[in-house]
Amino acid sequence: GAVVSQHPSRVICKSGTSVKIECRSLDFQATTMFWYRQFPKQSLMLMATSNEGSKATYEQGVEKDKFLINHASLTLSTLTVTSAHPEDSSFYICSASSGLGNIQYFGAGTRLSVL
Amino acid sequence: QKEVEQNSGPLSVPEGAIASLNCTYSDRVSQSFFWYRQYSGKSPELIMSIYSNGDKEDGRFTAQLNKASQYVSLLIRDSQPSDSATYLCAVNLDRGSTLGRLYFGRGTQLTVWP
């Protein structure tokens, strides 16, 4: 199956700092990458959709100036949580799709804890 | 309002039994349907994709799709304790769009006891 790598797996940071999360498709070209957030005992909430070389499409209620997404190549997308606060603490998961059948393959996730 | 509904469970079955997971969705024009498994603290992994009405089998797993009833299910035969996880139903609800966004249900927690 397709492999998606996500780093780091865990981040603990102080309030007010920025955190960058990387998502890479290792063995396929991802025309589209997706960023999700998951709070405990809840399902995945889509934050944004990014296509290589274009601006990300954010879901309603997601602050685009706080969650910066860059999709610089067909294998790499980054999510930067700017000026993180404790309420941003969550499990952030990326996924990548080549477009075939709308199948998304997920990275391992990043657990962010903001103190 | 785009919705994907799952019976939240928890569902508990003995080892060797059939586990049945159900999902309904709100948009009649949806074309792509998926079941993902998520272990506690981990990210989802794809189990099955299904696009046409009827059954699709892969090993111990069978997905069933009925577009007229807007219903998709997952059967797990010969359930094993290692199948204990949360099962997420996901549906592509973007009518006519190439965005490929998936909308996830809340998940059904399955426990298979030995």
Side-chain angles (χ1 to χ4, degrees):
Chain A
V3 179
V4 177
S5 172
Q6 184 175 345
H7 291 282
S9 59
R10 185 173 185 99
V11 179
I12 300 173
C13 68
K14 291 182 180 179
S15 186
T17 59
S18 293
V19 175
K20 190 179 201 176
I21 303 170
E22 283 192 357
C23 181
R24 293 180 185 271
S25 56
L26 297 186
D27 52 2
F28 68 102
Q29 292 189 325
T31 53
T32 310
M33 287 187 170
F34 304 85
W35 289 94
Y36 295 85
R37 181 165 52 182
Q38 187 176 36
F39 292 106
K41 305 285 187 190
Q42 295 188 23
S43 191
L44 278 73
M45 186 185 78
L46 179 65
M47 298 175 68
T49 303
S50 76
N51 292 288
E52 183 262 340
S54 60
K55 289 184 179 180
T57 302
Y58 289 82
E59 294 298 302
Q60 192 171 9
V62 178
E63 299 174 61
K64 60 182 179 182
D65 294 330
K66 181 167 184 65
F67 299 101
L68 301 179
I69 292 171
N70 183 274
H71 193 154
S73 74
L74 282 172
T75 59
L76 172 64
S77 177
T78 60
L79 168 68
T80 301
V81 183
T82 61
S83 186
H85 291 286
E87 58 266 30
D88 298 323
S89 298
S90 188
F91 190 41
Y92 291 86
I93 315 172
C94 74
S95 71
S97 174
S98 65
L100 269 174
N102 288 323
I103 294 176
Q104 294 183 23
Y105 298 96
F106 285 84
T110 298
R111 196 161 300 281
L112 172 63
S113 299
V114 185
L115 305 178
Chain B
Q1 182 76 16
K2 298 177 180 177
E3 290 183 351
V4 179
E5 300 282 348
Q6 292 182 250
N7 44 340
S8 59
L11 176 65
S12 182
V13 301
E15 184 174 357
I18 296 175
S20 178
L21 306 161
N22 304 315
C23 173
T24 58
Y25 57 94
S26 61
D27 196 327
R28 281 192 171 273
V29 298
S30 300
Q31 297 296 319
S32 310
F33 308 86
F34 307 88
W35 284 99
Y36 286 85
R37 175 174 62 196
Q38 186 175 26
Y39 292 110
S40 181
K42 303 294 185 182
S43 66
E45 56 179 316
L46 180 68
I47 297 177
M48 296 279 284
S49 60
I50 186 166
Y51 305 96
S52 305
N53 280 327
D55 295 0
K56 179 181 178 182
E57 188 175 316
D58 184 359
R60 296 186 296 112
F61 299 97
T62 300
Q64 299 174 317
L65 175 61
N66 183 325
K67 291 186 180 180
S69 300
Q70 294 172 231
Y71 175 90
V72 58
S73 66
L74 179 70
L75 298 178
I76 306 175
R77 289 183 302 281
D78 187 25
S79 296
Q80 302 296 310
S82 58
D83 294 327
S84 298
T86 297
Y87 288 79
L88 301 170
C89 172
V91 180
N92 176 278
L93 292 176
D94 283 330
R95 182 183 302 206
S97 168
T98 57
L99 280 178
R101 294 181 298 180
L102 294 182
Y103 293 84
F104 284 81
R106 287 182 159 270
T108 299
Q109 187 178 340
L110 170 67
T111 301
V112 181
W113 44 276

